[in-house]
Amino acid sequence: MKHRNEIVLAIEDLTVSFDGFRAVDGLNLYVERDELRAVIGPNGAGKTTVLDLICGKTKATAGSIQFKGIELTTMPEHKIVQAGVGRKFQNPSIYENLTVFENLEISYPRGRGVIGSLMFERTSDVNDRIHEVLEEIFLVDHPNTQAGLLSHGQKQWLEIGMLIIQSPQLLLLDEPVAGMSVSEREKTAELLNRISNGRSVIVIEHDMEFVKRIADNVTVLHQGKLLAEGSMESVQGNPKVIEVYLGH
Ligand SMILES: Nc1ncnc2c1ncn2[C@@H]1O[C@H](COP(=O)(O)OP(=O)(O)O)[C@@H](O)[C@H]1O
Ligand SMILES: [Mg+2]
């Protein structure tokens, strides 16, 4: 793998056991700034658990996760968010009863909870930033649409927008194009390629065509361990990867 940029995330010997079962087992993973890393592998490989460990939702049994030199394994979840890590779960968690604009406004870093941030004056700084994000996530024509009325794909974009408005240095996305139409997938690829500039993004994904379009490097997990890593081409041609994953 080419190493050109600073390492933003360094995961070493990371292990988590659930009642003796090692869902993640001695994993090493390094992600650079400006890198979009795809994580693939069969169901149960430990992909989601790795993201849970990075964002502090699950505590490691052993090993370390260093983000810009800060150890995350001993930090509470909200501190990890403050340190600059944004996490998107598989199902969009947006406020369905609020408008698109209001969802972004609530997520703007100075907001403190739903009521507090809605009572804030809409300063032009906040407005400008929200409009920038609306453009980025293809929702510039829908600021006043109730979020619950958006298509599934638009909801996923809105949630990505709610993360990027916080300017995270590391963005973690779990299967962002699941359930999306072909054209929504194409736009999401464009979005992810754009938002990986100036930050690092880790995307778990099963759609290999999609991975090919976005990933700088691909990590393949199997039974909690690193099975292969490198360019999409090298991973696709790897007999071990074909045997446990791509061949099925
Ligand atoms: N909180 C938990 N308690 C017990 N087992 C878990 C927990 N979270 C995940 N697992 C198990 O760890 C394995 C990896 O799960 P997961 O990370 O969700 O896989 P993937 O996202 O690659 O499909 C699975 O066997 C799953 O059942
Ligand atoms: Mg998963």
Side-chain angles (χ1 to χ4, degrees):
M1 273 196 317
K2 284 180 289 183
H3 283 290
R4 290 159 286 119
N5 285 323
E6 147 206 13
I7 303 276
V8 168
L9 183 73
I11 293 179
E12 294 185 333
D13 302 322
L14 187 64
T15 298
V16 66
S17 316
F18 298 118
D19 299 322
F21 168 75
R22 291 182 169 213
V24 175
D25 191 0
L27 182 68
N28 294 323
L29 180 70
Y30 303 89
V31 182
E32 296 175 6
R33 188 166 51 78
D34 292 325
E35 179 178 355
L36 197 155
R37 174 70 58 96
V39 177
I40 65 171
N43 283 329
K47 304 180 298 295
T48 297
T49 304
V50 170
L51 298 196
D52 289 345
L53 287 160
I54 298 170
C55 76
K57 185 170 176 262
T58 297
K59 290 295 163 201
T61 310
S64 98
I65 303 172
Q66 299 245 325
F67 169 63
K68 298 192 300 180
I70 309 166
E71 180 60 48
L72 298 186
T73 51
T74 51
M75 259 163 89
E77 258 182 289
H78 71 278
K79 293 274 184 200
I80 295 174
V81 172
Q82 282 168 14
V85 178
R87 161 81 185 270
K88 189 192 170 312
F89 291 88
Q90 254 168 285
N91 296 314
S93 53
I94 54 174
Y95 299 95
E96 303 245 332
N97 294 325
L98 299 181
T99 66
V100 169
F101 189 99
E102 287 164 345
N103 269 277
L104 292 172
E105 195 174 32
I106 277 171
S107 310
Y108 190 82
R110 72 171 187 188
R112 292 185 213 291
V114 179
I115 304 297
S117 69
L118 283 181
M119 308 242 299
F120 255 114
E121 228 181 305
R122 286 179 186 172
T123 64
S124 63
D125 277 3
V126 181
N127 258 311
D128 290 353
R129 180 71 184 122
I130 291 173
H131 277 280
E132 248 172 52
V133 173
L134 284 170
E135 295 252 15
E136 276 205 284
I137 61 174
F138 317 108
L139 291 175
V140 74
D141 295 330
H142 305 282
N144 301 316
T145 302
Q146 198 185 317
L149 301 177
L150 297 173
S151 74
H152 172 75
Q154 288 173 322
K155 287 180 184 174
Q156 301 274 19
W157 293 336
L158 177 56
E159 197 186 0
I160 292 173
M162 292 165 73
L163 292 170
I164 60 182
I165 203 163
Q166 301 175 43
S167 307
Q169 285 307 294
L170 175 64
L171 195 54
L172 312 171
L173 306 172
D174 201 346
E175 303 192 23
V177 298
M180 279 192 185
S181 68
V182 172
S183 76
E184 286 174 336
R185 276 166 200 248
E186 277 170 14
K187 286 168 106 171
T188 306
E190 182 193 321
L191 171 64
L192 296 192
N193 282 323
R194 226 179 320 113
I195 64 179
S196 58
N197 286 325
R199 62 165 64 88
S200 311
V201 182
I202 301 179
V203 181
I204 295 175
E205 195 44 70
H206 284 292
D207 178 340
M208 286 305 117
E209 282 309 307
F210 183 76
V211 170
K212 215 179 279 179
R213 298 180 58 166
I214 59 164
D216 298 308
N217 291 299
V218 179
T219 292
V220 189
L221 291 188
H222 179 51
Q223 297 177 343
K225 294 193 174 83
L226 185 75
L227 185 72
E229 193 167 79
S231 67
M232 184 69 184
E233 255 183 14
S234 76
V235 158
Q236 276 185 312
N238 183 319
K240 285 188 294 185
V241 178
I242 294 167
E243 189 190 328
V244 307
Y245 185 54
L246 295 177
H248 296 275

